[in-house]
């Protein structure tokens, strides 16, 4: 995945609509094809969380908690172990857990059988080298704890490289931050406080951790990284939340502005989308463009009184209406800014109160219907989704509703069709797309020009930009789809194809990279965007959905 794409590509030809003669090629409007790392970051993420490995939760790994542990968090577990065992025994226990929580065969199963493209990997600030936090008072800064956690970062790198070798990318999720981004035990402690937001020293540690990760990603120490998530499930209306996001984004941008930054929606998706759209404005040509922002939202239907009061049928009926804010926010990068949403956590779990409202004999079918409804919504309305979770002990206790492998085996969750295509089918669809390309472009350009001649006959346009955008949109869609067979990636032998997931963000990036749209032409970048979107839709009809030319 780290090999650079050959930078010599034939330039895309541009024709002025409604003129019969061949136009001279405008190389200023061309763009190089996406790199393998671009595809890792902007494709649709069919993902799963690796919960409980580097941030312990008792319900996931009860064996890591001595009976004397006073709570359900990582801190409770490590303190109890040090109290009842030697430091050497505790270190061995933690190192064994980090190394074996997910086996090589389990990783291969995720990649080769379940077609996972990306994992969301929860980590804590204490997973990173202690120099980042040891001088700041935090529960994990004590010397007896840093002596243990000094071994965590090498274990993290080892796991990331194992995933990379299997062809799986990683989204690094700062799940546990000093002081806590929320009041839950998965923030690393059982303090039930979210003090990150009111502590400048804690926020400074968090920013240092994010900057450290950005440097490791830029330098290649961390390969195949889809992005950095700044925090997990931020407390609703947390004071200074978006100022924190701004500070961290600026720090990462100064290191590597290409790294996508994921933010928690803090249980207010509409507000997060509005903020991210303003943050992801289009710059043409691209000058000092900051890191792209992706919004992470979580979807569970088991924790609230309102959920428990509903039957499984009622809850399933709600799913097609989810993420409507995300859909309404996308589709106009020039006018509103770019928006991308991922469902960072979801499951097939419902509360026992909901299950009590139906016959037990219907449960298996309803779990399958619930899973299908969710994956249909996430695949059509988001840039990716990550099931919670792939790693856990005592899987039989919850009927598999939190267990990715079990839920996939039951048929409740399946990979998107494009990820299951054979190499032969991928090649055949690429060939068919190539044969249809010129005709589809001619029709699209003619329709665009005709529409505006009817609608605004006296207005001035730059229809060449529509054609240029169409060329890039088509080439990029083909490049994402064809990466398994064109030699630009590695570890793709068991997966069929990729598709652009974060379309708005990718379009923002590509418009900035294509020269020739500054000055007077800048008024017509919207035509480039329209051309790109029409080509992306048209190419996906041929390649992904097999709707044209079959």
């Amino acid at each position: 995945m780290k090999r650079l794409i050959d930078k010599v590509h034939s330039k895309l030809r541009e024709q002025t609509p409604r003129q019969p003669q061949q136009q001279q090629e405008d190389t200023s409007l061309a763009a190089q094809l996406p790199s393998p790392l671009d595809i890792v970051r902007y494709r649709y993420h069919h993902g799963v969380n690796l919960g409980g490995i580097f941030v312990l939760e008792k319900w996931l790994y009860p064996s890591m908690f001595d009976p004397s542990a006073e709570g359900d968090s990582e801190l409770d577990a490590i303190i109890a172990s040090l109290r009842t065992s030697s430091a050497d025994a505790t270190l061995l226990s933690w190192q064994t857990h980090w190394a074996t929580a997910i086996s090589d065969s389990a990783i291969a199963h995720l990649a080769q059988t379940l077609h996972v493209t990306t994992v969301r990997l929860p980590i804590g600030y204490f997973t990173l080298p202690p120099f980042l936090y040891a001088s700041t008072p935090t529960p994990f800064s004590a010397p007896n704890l840093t002596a243990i956690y000094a071994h965590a970062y090498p274990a993290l790198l080892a796991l990331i490289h194992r995933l990379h070798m299997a062809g799986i990318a990683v989204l690094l999720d700062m799940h546990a931050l000093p002081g806590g981004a929320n009041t839950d035990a998965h923030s690393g402690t059982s303090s039930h406080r979210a003090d990150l937001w009111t502590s400048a020293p804690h926020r400074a540690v968090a920013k240092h951790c994010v900057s450290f990760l950005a440097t490791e990603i830029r330098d290649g120490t961390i390969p195949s990284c889809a992005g950095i998530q700044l925090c997990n499930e931020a407390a609703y209306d947390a004071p200074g939340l978006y100022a924190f996001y701004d500070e961290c984004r600026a720090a990462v941008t100064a290191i590597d502005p290409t790294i996508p930054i994921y933010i928690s929606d803090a249980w207010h998706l509409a507000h997060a989308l509005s903020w991210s759209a303003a943050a992801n404005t289009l710059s043409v040509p691209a000058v000092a463009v900051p890191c792209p922002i992706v919004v992470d939202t979580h979807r569970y239907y088991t924790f609230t009184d309102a959920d428990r009061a509903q039957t499984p049928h009622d809850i399933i009926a709600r799913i097609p209406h989810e993420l409507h804010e995300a859909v309404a926010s996308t589709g106009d990068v020039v006018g509103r800014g770019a928006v991308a949403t991922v469902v960072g956590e979801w499951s097939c779990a419902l509360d026992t109160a909901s299950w009590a409202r139906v016959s037990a004999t219907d449960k298996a079918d309803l779990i399958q219907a619930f899973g299908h409804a969710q994956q249909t919504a996430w695949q059509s309305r988001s840039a990716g989704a990550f099931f919670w979770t792939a790693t856990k002990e005592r899987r039989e206790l919850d009927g598999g509703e939190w267990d990715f492998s079990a839920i996939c085996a039951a048929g409740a969750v399946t990979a998107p069709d494009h990820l299951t295509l054979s190499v032969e089918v991928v090649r055949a669809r690429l060939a068919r797309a190539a044969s249809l390309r010129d005709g589809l472009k001619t029709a699209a350009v003619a329709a665009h020009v005709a529409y505006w001649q009817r609608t605004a006959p006296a207005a001035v346009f730059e229809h060449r930009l529509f054609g240029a955008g169409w060329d890039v949109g088509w080439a990029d869609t083909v490049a994402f789809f064809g990466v398994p067979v064109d030699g630009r990636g590695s570890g793709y032998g068991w997966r069929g194809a990729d598709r652009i997931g974060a379309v708005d963000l990718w379009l923002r990036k590509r418009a900035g990279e294509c020269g020739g749209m500054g000055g007077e032409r800048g008024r017509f970048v919207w035509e480039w965007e329209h051309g790109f979107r029409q080509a992306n839709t048209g190419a996906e009809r041929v390649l992904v959905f097999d709707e044209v030319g079959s």
Side-chain angles (χ1 to χ4, degrees):
M1 293 293 289
K2 293 182 67 62
R3 290 183 302 162
L4 294 176
I5 183 176
D6 181 359
K7 293 187 177 181
V8 180
H9 296 288
S10 57
K11 299 297 185 179
L12 300 171
R13 290 196 169 272
E14 181 57 40
Q15 293 183 338
T16 302
R18 302 178 68 85
Q19 286 189 291
Q21 69 269 30
Q22 181 73 32
Q23 298 298 306
Q24 184 176 0
E25 185 178 273
D26 188 346
T27 58
S28 68
L29 297 174
Q32 292 180 342
L33 290 176
S35 71
L37 187 56
D38 288 334
I39 292 171
V40 160
R41 290 173 172 173
Y42 289 91
R43 67 187 172 191
Y44 180 83
H45 300 297
H46 177 57
V48 67
N49 285 270
L50 300 187
I53 299 179
F54 292 100
V55 182
L56 285 172
E57 298 181 43
K58 189 173 183 178
W59 73 284
L60 295 177
Y61 285 97
S63 70
M64 295 295 293
F65 288 75
D66 185 84
S68 66
E70 298 177 358
D72 298 342
S73 72
E74 174 90 28
L75 184 64
D76 298 312
I78 193 78
I79 288 176
S81 181
L82 287 170
R83 185 170 55 235
T84 59
S85 304
S86 68
D88 287 344
T90 295
L91 174 58
L92 178 61
S93 178
W94 257 246
Q95 285 185 305
T96 300
H97 173 68
W98 294 330
T100 64
I102 184 164
S103 65
D104 287 343
S105 61
I107 290 174
H109 181 68
L110 291 179
Q112 299 176 22
T113 303
L114 304 184
H115 305 283
V116 166
T117 66
T118 315
V119 298
R120 181 173 179 261
L121 182 52
I123 62 175
Y125 67 96
F126 43 82
T127 312
L128 304 180
F131 75 82
L132 293 166
Y133 62 88
S135 62
T136 301
T138 79
F140 289 88
S141 299
N144 64 329
L145 296 188
T146 58
I148 303 292
Y149 288 100
H151 300 268
Y153 187 60
L156 173 65
L157 290 181
L159 176 54
I160 291 171
H161 279 269
R162 289 165 59 206
L163 293 163
H164 170 66
M165 293 304 294
I168 297 177
V170 61
L171 167 60
L172 290 171
D173 162 33
M174 291 300 301
H175 214 73
L177 292 173
N182 57 61
T183 60
D184 295 315
H186 54 65
S187 279
T189 77
S190 295
S191 70
H192 306 296
R193 298 175 63 87
D195 288 339
L196 172 71
W197 309 115
T198 55
S199 169
H202 285 163
R203 290 197 305 276
V205 169
K207 187 169 74 172
H208 291 156
C209 289
V210 169
S211 297
F212 172 80
L213 288 174
T215 301
E216 296 286 89
I217 294 165
R218 180 200 64 192
D219 293 346
T221 307
I222 296 176
S224 298
C225 186
I228 303 171
Q229 182 160 345
L230 301 183
C231 66
N232 172 67
E233 293 186 350
Y236 179 82
D237 202 24
L241 172 66
Y242 287 96
F244 172 73
Y245 289 165
D246 274 329
E247 292 170 8
C248 289
R249 186 197 197 190
V252 175
T253 296
I255 297 165
D256 183 349
T258 70
I259 299 173
I261 296 294
Y262 286 64
I263 63 166
S264 165
D265 70 350
W267 310 107
H268 194 336
L269 179 57
H271 183 66
L273 292 171
S274 177
W275 182 86
S276 68
N280 288 328
T281 54
L282 180 64
S283 177
V284 176
V287 177
V289 177
C291 297
I293 298 289
V294 182
V295 177
D296 168 47
T297 190
H298 295 176
R299 287 295 183 266
Y300 290 125
Y301 303 89
T302 187
F303 295 123
T304 70
D305 290 339
D307 293 331
R308 298 183 189 105
Q310 290 191 313
T311 69
H313 299 90
D314 295 331
I315 293 171
I316 292 168
R318 289 163 49 189
I319 305 303
H321 306 287
E322 292 281 43
L323 303 187
H324 61 88
E325 309 98 320
V327 175
S329 299
T330 59
D332 185 6
V333 174
V334 172
R336 294 195 301 255
V339 168
T341 308
V342 297
V343 181
E345 295 182 18
W346 67 287
S347 78
C348 286
L350 296 176
D351 192 80
T352 54
S354 293
W355 289 123
R357 300 175 188 278
V358 297
S359 170
T361 59
D362 295 333
K363 185 174 181 179
D365 289 341
L366 287 168
I367 288 176
Q368 190 169 93
F370 185 36
H372 289 172
Q374 289 187 88
Q375 71 174 28
T376 298
W378 312 155
Q379 289 173 20
S380 62
R381 297 184 164 206
S382 78
F386 300 82
F387 192 92
W388 186 278
T389 180
T391 49
K392 115 188 249 297
E393 295 174 336
R394 302 183 185 179
R395 293 176 170 182
E396 73 282 356
L397 295 183
D398 59 23
E401 296 160 38
W402 295 96
D403 183 337
F404 186 61
S405 292
I407 215 71
C408 290
V413 175
T414 58
D417 289 345
H418 65 274
L419 291 176
T420 68
L421 299 176
S422 69
V423 171
E424 292 74 22
V425 170
V426 171
R427 287 197 175 103
R429 291 191 186 180
L430 288 169
R432 188 168 71 229
S435 70
L436 294 169
R437 179 199 181 280
D438 291 348
L440 291 173
K441 180 186 177 182
T442 297
V445 170
H448 175 79
V449 172
Y451 174 83
W452 289 109
Q453 285 182 337
R454 292 193 309 271
T455 304
V460 175
F461 296 96
E462 187 70 56
H463 293 318
R464 288 172 62 82
L465 291 183
F466 178 90
W470 197 100
D471 283 341
V472 176
W474 183 276
D476 287 355
T477 306
V478 168
F480 272 73
F481 188 82
V483 72
V485 299
D486 69 2
R488 292 183 297 115
S490 63
Y492 282 90
W494 47 81
R495 288 202 280 108
D498 277 314
R499 61 181 299 212
I500 304 172
V503 176
D504 270 21
L505 287 182
W506 180 248
L507 190 152
R508 167 183 176 263
K509 180 178 187 294
R510 299 300 268 168
E513 290 172 346
C514 294
M517 291 195 288
E520 184 65 18
R521 267 182 170 175
R523 294 191 299 129
F524 303 102
V525 178
W526 64 269
E527 290 197 76
W528 191 97
E529 177 175 0
H530 284 201
F532 184 102
R533 290 188 184 279
Q534 287 192 29
N536 172 245
T537 299
E540 286 208 333
R541 287 185 63 199
V542 181
L543 296 168
V544 178
F545 302 110
D546 197 27
E547 293 178 355
V548 175
S550 55

PDB file of all heavy atoms in Angstrom, residues 182-200:
ATOM      1  N   ASN A 182     -16.287  12.095  28.198  1.00  0.00           N
ATOM      2  CA  ASN A 182     -17.642  11.823  28.655  1.00  0.00           C
ATOM      3  C   ASN A 182     -17.543  11.190  30.034  1.00  0.00           C
ATOM      4  O   ASN A 182     -16.441  11.011  30.575  1.00  0.00           O
ATOM      5  CB  ASN A 182     -18.387  10.917  27.668  1.00  0.00           C
ATOM      6  CG  ASN A 182     -17.652   9.608  27.422  1.00  0.00           C
ATOM      7  OD1 ASN A 182     -17.428   8.818  28.333  1.00  0.00           O
ATOM      8  ND2 ASN A 182     -17.257   9.374  26.164  1.00  0.00           N
ATOM      9  N   THR A 183     -18.665  10.850  30.599  1.00  0.00           N
ATOM     10  CA  THR A 183     -18.681  10.371  31.985  1.00  0.00           C
ATOM     11  C   THR A 183     -18.668   8.853  32.100  1.00  0.00           C
ATOM     12  O   THR A 183     -18.804   8.323  33.204  1.00  0.00           O
ATOM     13  CB  THR A 183     -19.925  10.913  32.703  1.00  0.00           C
ATOM     14  OG1 THR A 183     -21.106  10.453  32.024  1.00  0.00           O
ATOM     15  CG2 THR A 183     -19.929  12.435  32.726  1.00  0.00           C
ATOM     16  N   ASP A 184     -18.502   8.140  30.995  1.00  0.00           N
ATOM     17  CA  ASP A 184     -18.600   6.686  31.019  1.00  0.00           C
ATOM     18  C   ASP A 184     -17.252   6.031  31.288  1.00  0.00           C
ATOM     19  O   ASP A 184     -16.185   6.612  31.082  1.00  0.00           O
ATOM     20  CB  ASP A 184     -19.170   6.183  29.692  1.00  0.00           C
ATOM     21  CG  ASP A 184     -20.597   6.642  29.475  1.00  0.00           C
ATOM     22  OD1 ASP A 184     -21.392   6.558  30.424  1.00  0.00           O
ATOM     23  OD2 ASP A 184     -20.916   7.095  28.354  1.00  0.00           O
ATOM     24  N   ALA A 185     -17.306   4.749  31.694  1.00  0.00           N
ATOM     25  CA  ALA A 185     -16.094   4.009  32.043  1.00  0.00           C
ATOM     26  C   ALA A 185     -15.194   3.776  30.843  1.00  0.00           C
ATOM     27  O   ALA A 185     -13.982   3.566  31.012  1.00  0.00           O
ATOM     28  CB  ALA A 185     -16.470   2.675  32.684  1.00  0.00           C
ATOM     29  N   HIS A 186     -15.742   3.811  29.622  1.00  0.00           N
ATOM     30  CA  HIS A 186     -14.876   3.607  28.454  1.00  0.00           C
ATOM     31  C   HIS A 186     -13.998   4.817  28.172  1.00  0.00           C
ATOM     32  O   HIS A 186     -13.232   4.814  27.205  1.00  0.00           O
ATOM     33  CB  HIS A 186     -15.688   3.208  27.219  1.00  0.00           C
ATOM     34  CG  HIS A 186     -16.815   4.131  26.866  1.00  0.00           C
ATOM     35  ND1 HIS A 186     -16.630   5.437  26.473  1.00  0.00           N
ATOM     36  CD2 HIS A 186     -18.155   3.920  26.832  1.00  0.00           C
ATOM     37  CE1 HIS A 186     -17.805   5.996  26.204  1.00  0.00           C
ATOM     38  NE2 HIS A 186     -18.748   5.102  26.418  1.00  0.00           N
ATOM     39  N   SER A 187     -14.079   5.849  29.022  1.00  0.00           N
ATOM     40  CA  SER A 187     -13.122   6.952  28.944  1.00  0.00           C
ATOM     41  C   SER A 187     -11.849   6.644  29.710  1.00  0.00           C
ATOM     42  O   SER A 187     -10.957   7.490  29.790  1.00  0.00           O
ATOM     43  CB  SER A 187     -13.746   8.241  29.495  1.00  0.00           C
ATOM     44  OG  SER A 187     -14.570   8.857  28.527  1.00  0.00           O
ATOM     45  N   GLY A 188     -11.777   5.453  30.303  1.00  0.00           N
ATOM     46  CA  GLY A 188     -10.546   5.028  30.966  1.00  0.00           C
ATOM     47  C   GLY A 188     -10.605   4.981  32.471  1.00  0.00           C
ATOM     48  O   GLY A 188      -9.794   4.315  33.109  1.00  0.00           O
ATOM     49  N   THR A 189     -11.559   5.710  33.062  1.00  0.00           N
ATOM     50  CA  THR A 189     -11.701   5.714  34.517  1.00  0.00           C
ATOM     51  C   THR A 189     -13.179   5.597  34.886  1.00  0.00           C
ATOM     52  O   THR A 189     -14.061   5.737  34.035  1.00  0.00           O
ATOM     53  CB  THR A 189     -11.150   7.012  35.154  1.00  0.00           C
ATOM     54  OG1 THR A 189     -12.087   8.080  34.960  1.00  0.00           O
ATOM     55  CG2 THR A 189      -9.803   7.390  34.554  1.00  0.00           C
ATOM     56  N   SER A 190     -13.417   5.375  36.179  1.00  0.00           N
ATOM     57  CA  SER A 190     -14.796   5.329  36.692  1.00  0.00           C
ATOM     58  C   SER A 190     -15.129   6.587  37.486  1.00  0.00           C
ATOM     59  O   SER A 190     -15.953   6.566  38.404  1.00  0.00           O
ATOM     60  CB  SER A 190     -14.990   4.092  37.573  1.00  0.00           C
ATOM     61  OG  SER A 190     -14.854   2.910  36.825  1.00  0.00           O
ATOM     62  N   SER A 191     -14.515   7.702  37.113  1.00  0.00           N
ATOM     63  CA  SER A 191     -14.753   8.962  37.836  1.00  0.00           C
ATOM     64  C   SER A 191     -16.142   9.526  37.569  1.00  0.00           C
ATOM     65  O   SER A 191     -16.641  10.341  38.341  1.00  0.00           O
ATOM     66  CB  SER A 191     -13.707  10.002  37.425  1.00  0.00           C
ATOM     67  OG  SER A 191     -13.931  10.439  36.083  1.00  0.00           O
ATOM     68  N   HIS A 192     -16.741   9.099  36.450  1.00  0.00           N
ATOM     69  CA  HIS A 192     -18.051   9.618  36.029  1.00  0.00           C
ATOM     70  C   HIS A 192     -18.017  11.134  35.829  1.00  0.00           C
ATOM     71  O   HIS A 192     -19.010  11.829  36.070  1.00  0.00           O
ATOM     72  CB  HIS A 192     -19.147   9.231  37.030  1.00  0.00           C
ATOM     73  CG  HIS A 192     -19.204   7.751  37.294  1.00  0.00           C
ATOM     74  ND1 HIS A 192     -19.520   6.842  36.317  1.00  0.00           N
ATOM     75  CD2 HIS A 192     -18.957   7.040  38.436  1.00  0.00           C
ATOM     76  CE1 HIS A 192     -19.478   5.621  36.836  1.00  0.00           C
ATOM     77  NE2 HIS A 192     -19.134   5.711  38.100  1.00  0.00           N
ATOM     78  N   ARG A 193     -16.875  11.619  35.362  1.00  0.00           N
ATOM     79  CA  ARG A 193     -16.704  13.035  35.093  1.00  0.00           C
ATOM     80  C   ARG A 193     -16.142  13.223  33.683  1.00  0.00           C
ATOM     81  O   ARG A 193     -15.426  12.356  33.169  1.00  0.00           O
ATOM     82  CB  ARG A 193     -15.749  13.679  36.105  1.00  0.00           C
ATOM     83  CG  ARG A 193     -16.244  13.604  37.545  1.00  0.00           C
ATOM     84  CD  ARG A 193     -15.193  14.161  38.501  1.00  0.00           C
ATOM     85  NE  ARG A 193     -14.939  15.583  38.250  1.00  0.00           N
ATOM     86  CZ  ARG A 193     -15.626  16.582  38.785  1.00  0.00           C
ATOM     87  NH1 ARG A 193     -16.633  16.315  39.613  1.00  0.00           N
ATOM     88  NH2 ARG A 193     -15.330  17.833  38.517  1.00  0.00           N
ATOM     89  N   ALA A 194     -16.490  14.348  33.075  1.00  0.00           N
ATOM     90  CA  ALA A 194     -15.956  14.709  31.758  1.00  0.00           C
ATOM     91  C   ALA A 194     -15.153  15.995  31.916  1.00  0.00           C
ATOM     92  O   ALA A 194     -15.523  17.062  31.429  1.00  0.00           O
ATOM     93  CB  ALA A 194     -17.079  14.892  30.748  1.00  0.00           C
ATOM     94  N   ASP A 195     -14.021  15.866  32.608  1.00  0.00           N
ATOM     95  CA  ASP A 195     -13.236  17.048  32.973  1.00  0.00           C
ATOM     96  C   ASP A 195     -12.288  17.529  31.877  1.00  0.00           C
ATOM     97  O   ASP A 195     -11.636  18.563  32.043  1.00  0.00           O
ATOM     98  CB  ASP A 195     -12.413  16.757  34.233  1.00  0.00           C
ATOM     99  CG  ASP A 195     -13.280  16.670  35.491  1.00  0.00           C
ATOM    100  OD1 ASP A 195     -14.407  17.215  35.456  1.00  0.00           O
ATOM    101  OD2 ASP A 195     -12.840  16.066  36.480  1.00  0.00           O
ATOM    102  N   LEU A 196     -12.202  16.783  30.784  1.00  0.00           N
ATOM    103  CA  LEU A 196     -11.357  17.248  29.682  1.00  0.00           C
ATOM    104  C   LEU A 196     -11.732  18.660  29.270  1.00  0.00           C
ATOM    105  O   LEU A 196     -10.867  19.487  28.972  1.00  0.00           O
ATOM    106  CB  LEU A 196     -11.499  16.301  28.490  1.00  0.00           C
ATOM    107  CG  LEU A 196     -10.821  16.742  27.184  1.00  0.00           C
ATOM    108  CD1 LEU A 196      -9.304  16.633  27.309  1.00  0.00           C
ATOM    109  CD2 LEU A 196     -11.315  15.924  26.002  1.00  0.00           C
ATOM    110  N   TRP A 197     -13.020  18.942  29.265  1.00  0.00           N
ATOM    111  CA  TRP A 197     -13.522  20.183  28.681  1.00  0.00           C
ATOM    112  C   TRP A 197     -13.276  21.397  29.569  1.00  0.00           C
ATOM    113  O   TRP A 197     -13.393  22.536  29.108  1.00  0.00           O
ATOM    114  CB  TRP A 197     -15.006  20.036  28.362  1.00  0.00           C
ATOM    115  CG  TRP A 197     -15.250  18.795  27.565  1.00  0.00           C
ATOM    116  CD1 TRP A 197     -15.953  17.697  27.937  1.00  0.00           C
ATOM    117  CD2 TRP A 197     -14.730  18.510  26.264  1.00  0.00           C
ATOM    118  NE1 TRP A 197     -15.918  16.739  26.960  1.00  0.00           N
ATOM    119  CE2 TRP A 197     -15.178  17.212  25.913  1.00  0.00           C
ATOM    120  CE3 TRP A 197     -13.935  19.211  25.355  1.00  0.00           C
ATOM    121  CZ2 TRP A 197     -14.839  16.613  24.697  1.00  0.00           C
ATOM    122  CZ3 TRP A 197     -13.603  18.618  24.152  1.00  0.00           C
ATOM    123  CH2 TRP A 197     -14.059  17.332  23.821  1.00  0.00           C
ATOM    124  N   THR A 198     -12.948  21.171  30.845  1.00  0.00           N
ATOM    125  CA  THR A 198     -12.707  22.299  31.752  1.00  0.00           C
ATOM    126  C   THR A 198     -11.268  22.341  32.243  1.00  0.00           C
ATOM    127  O   THR A 198     -10.949  23.133  33.125  1.00  0.00           O
ATOM    128  CB  THR A 198     -13.651  22.211  32.961  1.00  0.00           C
ATOM    129  OG1 THR A 198     -13.498  20.936  33.599  1.00  0.00           O
ATOM    130  CG2 THR A 198     -15.106  22.386  32.519  1.00  0.00           C
ATOM    131  N   SER A 199     -10.388  21.520  31.664  1.00  0.00           N
ATOM    132  CA  SER A 199      -8.995  21.465  32.098  1.00  0.00           C
ATOM    133  C   SER A 199      -8.066  21.770  30.932  1.00  0.00           C
ATOM    134  O   SER A 199      -7.914  20.963  30.018  1.00  0.00           O
ATOM    135  CB  SER A 199      -8.675  20.080  32.675  1.00  0.00           C
ATOM    136  OG  SER A 199      -7.278  19.924  32.870  1.00  0.00           O
ATOM    137  N   ALA A 200      -7.426  22.930  30.976  1.00  0.00           N
ATOM    138  CA  ALA A 200      -6.474  23.286  29.920  1.00  0.00           C
ATOM    139  C   ALA A 200      -5.293  22.324  29.860  1.00  0.00           C
ATOM    140  O   ALA A 200      -4.867  21.936  28.763  1.00  0.00           O
ATOM    141  CB  ALA A 200      -5.998  24.722  30.119  1.00  0.00           C
TER     142      ALA A 200
END
